[in-house]
């Protein structure tokens, strides 16, 4: 994004932020044909509502099951499903906010929550949750994350699930090579080297170089450096010398222990490549569990939380919390909220997360038998709540976070892999943008 566009965008966000903090939960909207700020109505709680799935295609089937269940129990409400690919969800919402056509309810992850909320598009949900049967039934840590990601003042998202970084590894290849499970970063690098045999097109690791590359890169940096806070005062720690050294070691794997095609791999290409090839390890998240199960069978792979440091401590970045938001422009917010309540009920939230392989937000669903049987999900939940796990909270509350961590710096990370930019230059550039965004946010919050 060029500097003039960035300045204009920040100015607009600053104005919007001043407005949204003054908004009350009584503002209304339209039936999905309006833009942020349009007036509407609470509605009758019946009729047709539109739902936008922010991970369309990947989660379409399970959402259609939930919608069918909902319509059966609520015959007076019809839900129109619209699936949006995850990669274009933010731009789709931004376009609708400016030009009209927002849904009644939609999936909004914490990574984009602040940007959508700051434009006045979302309905504050605190009072609705307080009066709901869901009150007291949702994971408090996830609710806290949702609130913080929206700016910290109000709840603009009801969390549905928590993802977590996972190091997937091929147990058959590890056993054949006589390797221990990659539970530490030292063992991870040893395995990456030993499993690589370029003559046989075998590699120890596949690195994410395309879309979505920044989060796993930061996870590897903080995980190795042991730095536990994203900020030191008002300055980010991303370019701390320890993180620079850690990232240098991580990117040095490219083409040495990884395929050269990785420079362009998004998660779908990376997962497909791992499932069909002879690559030892893959750093992704819980969402790809079902793909691995179908491709490899349960006895050829495992999923562990990201490696620990040699002293047994685990540092990981906060993963986005997915959730549902009600849009202020809905003319039928009563029906939209009924859908949110239903989707977060024990049975439906369990169904959704079993399909996704993620950690349920509903605490009853999180206790279901499938969680105990799905080892990666069980271990991820234990890691998140473990006493020796330190979480580096990414600044999802910054309206510019999603743009900085995607459009601005994914191309730069590719330059690092290709040797056209150093790890220090990359992290210094990222740090400068983050420090400016933090200063802007503090000036207007």
């Amino acid at each position: 994004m060029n500097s003039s566009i960035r300045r204009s965008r920040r100015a607009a966000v600053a104005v919007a932020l001043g407005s949204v903090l003054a908004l009350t939960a009584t503002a209304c909207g339209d039936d999905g044909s309006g833009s942020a700020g349009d007036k509407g109505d609470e509605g009758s709680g019946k009729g047709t509502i539109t739902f936008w799935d922010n991970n369309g295609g990947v989660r379409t089937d399970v959402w259609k099951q939930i919608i069918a269940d909902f319509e059966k129990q609520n015959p007076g409400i019809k839900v129109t499903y619209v699936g949006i690919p995850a990669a274009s969800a933010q731009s789709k919402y931004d376009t609708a906010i400016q030009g009209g056509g927002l849904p009644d309810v939609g999936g909004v992850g914490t990574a984009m929550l602040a940007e959508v909320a700051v434009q006045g598009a979302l309905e504050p949900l605190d009072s609705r949750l307080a009066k709901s049967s869901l009150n007291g039934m949702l994971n408090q840590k996830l609710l806290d994350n949702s609130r913080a990601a929206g700016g910290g003042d109000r709840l603009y998202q009801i969390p549905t699930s928590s993802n977590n970084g996972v190091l997937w590894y091929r147990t058959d290849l590890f056993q054949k090579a006589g390797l221990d499970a990659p539970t530490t970063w030292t063992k991870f690098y040893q395995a990456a080297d030993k499993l690589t045999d370029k003559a046989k097109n075998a590699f120890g690791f596949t690195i994410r170089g395309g879309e979505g590359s920044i989060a796993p890169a930061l996870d590897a940096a903080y995980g190795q450096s042991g730095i536990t806070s994203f900020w030191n005062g008002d300055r980010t720690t991303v370019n701390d010398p320890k993180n620079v050294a850690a990232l240098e070691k991580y990117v040095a794997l490219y083409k040495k222990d990884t395929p050269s095609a990785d420079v362009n791999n998004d998660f779908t290409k990376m997962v497909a490549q791992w499932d069909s090839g002879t690559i030892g390890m893959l750093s992704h998240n819980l969402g790809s569990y079902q793909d691995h199960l179908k491709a490899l069978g349960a006895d050829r792979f495992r999923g562990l939380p990201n490696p620990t440091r040699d002293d047994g401590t685990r540092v990981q970045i906060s993963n986005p919390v997915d959730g549902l938001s009600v849009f202020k422009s809905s003319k039928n917010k009563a029906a939209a909220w009924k859908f949110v309540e239903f989707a977060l009920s024990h049975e439906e939230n369990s169904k959704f997360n079993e399909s996704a392989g993620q950690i349920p937000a509903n605490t009853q669903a999180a206790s279901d038998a499938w969680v105990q049987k799905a080892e990666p999900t069980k271990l991820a939940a234990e890691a998140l709540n473990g006493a020796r796990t330190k979480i580096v909270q990414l600044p999802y509350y910054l309206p510019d976070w999603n743009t900085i961590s995607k459009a601005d710096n994914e191309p730069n990370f590719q330059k690092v892999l290709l040797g056209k930019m150093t790890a220090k230059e990359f992290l210094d550039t990222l740090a400068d943008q983050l420090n400016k965004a933090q200063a802007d946010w503090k000036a207007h919050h």
Side-chain angles (χ1 to χ4, degrees):
M1 179 178 289
N2 66 48
S3 59
S4 62
I5 294 174
R6 170 64 61 75
R7 285 194 296 270
S8 298
R9 187 171 173 277
R10 280 185 175 150
V13 165
V15 172
L17 180 57
S19 301
V20 76
L21 293 177
L23 292 171
T24 68
T26 58
C28 300
D30 63 21
D31 61 356
S33 61
S35 56
D38 287 349
K39 291 184 178 181
D41 199 287
E42 183 71 7
S44 64
K46 300 199 180 288
T48 299
I49 58 172
T50 299
F51 166 62
W52 282 9
D53 172 10
N54 61 325
N55 200 0
V58 178
R59 302 283 174 251
T60 296
D61 289 345
V62 69
W63 273 120
K64 287 192 172 181
Q65 291 176 34
I66 293 170
I67 289 169
D69 293 344
F70 175 75
E71 290 178 342
K72 185 176 181 180
Q73 289 197 22
N74 297 271
I77 305 175
K78 171 72 175 176
V79 180
T80 300
Y81 171 89
V82 178
I84 303 169
S88 56
Q90 180 185 340
S91 60
K92 179 79 171 176
Y93 280 127
D94 285 344
T95 299
I97 288 169
Q98 299 303 319
L102 285 166
D104 298 278
V105 59
V108 181
T110 48
M112 72 174 82
L113 184 63
E115 178 165 338
V116 180
V118 81
Q119 296 178 77
L122 301 179
E123 176 82 356
L125 300 174
D126 306 79
S127 61
R128 293 180 191 270
L129 180 59
K131 300 171 187 176
S132 170
S133 59
L134 293 176
N135 193 23
M137 301 304 296
L138 302 178
N139 185 299
Q140 189 59 48
K141 286 187 177 180
L142 299 190
L143 284 170
D144 291 344
N145 286 345
S146 295
R147 191 182 302 277
D153 297 305
R154 290 177 177 163
L155 187 66
Y156 292 106
Q157 176 220 57
I158 302 298
T160 55
S161 57
S162 175
N163 215 329
N164 198 55
V166 176
L167 183 61
W168 303 100
Y169 75 100
R170 288 282 299 273
T171 51
D172 54 345
L173 300 181
F174 270 68
Q175 184 177 5
K176 184 178 179 181
L179 288 165
D180 292 334
T183 53
T184 68
W185 284 103
T186 296
K187 291 180 178 178
F188 164 79
Y189 282 108
Q190 289 172 344
D193 278 338
K194 190 166 184 179
L195 292 171
T196 297
D197 186 343
K198 294 182 181 179
K200 296 182 180 178
N201 199 35
F203 296 93
F205 185 57
T206 174
I207 196 169
R208 187 166 181 170
E211 184 196 347
S213 61
I214 304 304
L218 292 180
D219 224 357
Y222 281 97
Q224 294 174 82
S225 72
I227 296 170
T228 58
S229 176
F230 195 80
W231 299 104
N232 181 8
D234 288 330
R235 309 289 292 180
T236 181
T237 59
V238 294
N239 61 336
D240 183 284
K242 291 181 180 179
N243 277 336
V244 173
L247 188 62
E248 286 173 343
K249 188 173 184 180
Y250 181 70
V251 299
L253 292 171
Y254 176 63
K255 287 205 300 187
K256 180 173 78 75
D257 293 327
T258 80
S260 59
D262 282 1
V263 69
N264 294 312
N265 277 358
D266 59 11
F267 87 91
T268 53
K269 293 176 184 175
M270 188 175 62
V271 167
Q273 176 179 265
W274 191 72
D275 286 345
S276 62
T278 54
I279 299 172
M281 296 177 291
L282 161 72
S283 182
H284 190 229
N285 56 47
L286 290 168
S288 56
Y289 174 64
Q290 294 296 335
D291 292 322
H292 308 324
L293 197 61
K294 291 175 184 175
L296 300 171
D299 60 343
R300 294 175 62 197
F301 77 98
R302 284 185 73 199
L304 300 175
N306 284 342
T308 68
R309 288 159 53 83
D310 286 342
D311 63 4
T313 58
R314 175 179 285 108
V315 178
Q316 62 184 64
I317 62 169
S318 56
N319 281 273
V321 174
D322 209 6
L324 297 176
S325 297
V326 175
F327 284 79
K328 192 176 291 295
S329 60
S330 170
K331 282 185 177 176
N332 204 344
K333 285 181 279 189
W337 176 248
K338 282 183 183 179
F339 180 70
V340 173
E341 284 185 306
F342 184 83
L344 266 295
S345 64
H346 175 184
E347 182 178 348
E348 301 301 321
N349 190 235
S350 185
K351 180 184 298 181
F352 175 82
N353 282 286
E354 184 173 11
S355 170
Q358 296 176 351
I359 303 168
N362 185 297
T363 54
Q364 289 180 319
S367 299
D368 284 350
W370 72 264
V371 177
Q372 303 306 311
K373 293 177 182 177
E375 184 189 42
T377 305
K378 178 185 177 184
L379 293 177
E382 291 173 352
L384 281 175
N385 296 313
R388 304 198 74 184
T389 298
K390 304 297 182 184
I391 307 294
V392 178
Q393 295 292 340
L394 297 183
Y396 297 126
Y397 59 86
L398 294 177
D400 272 346
W401 166 253
N402 224 21
T403 301
I404 290 172
S405 64
K406 287 185 178 292
D408 284 3
N409 284 288
E410 286 175 355
N412 283 346
F413 186 69
Q414 289 181 314
K415 291 179 182 178
V416 176
L417 292 179
L418 295 171
K420 298 178 179 179
M421 175 181 274
T422 67
K424 185 178 187 304
E425 289 169 339
F426 167 73
L427 291 176
D428 282 345
T429 300
L430 178 60
D432 181 62
Q433 294 170 344
L434 288 165
N435 291 335
K436 289 176 180 176
Q438 174 77 348
D440 284 351
W441 184 81
K442 281 210 160 186
H444 297 99
H445 193 272

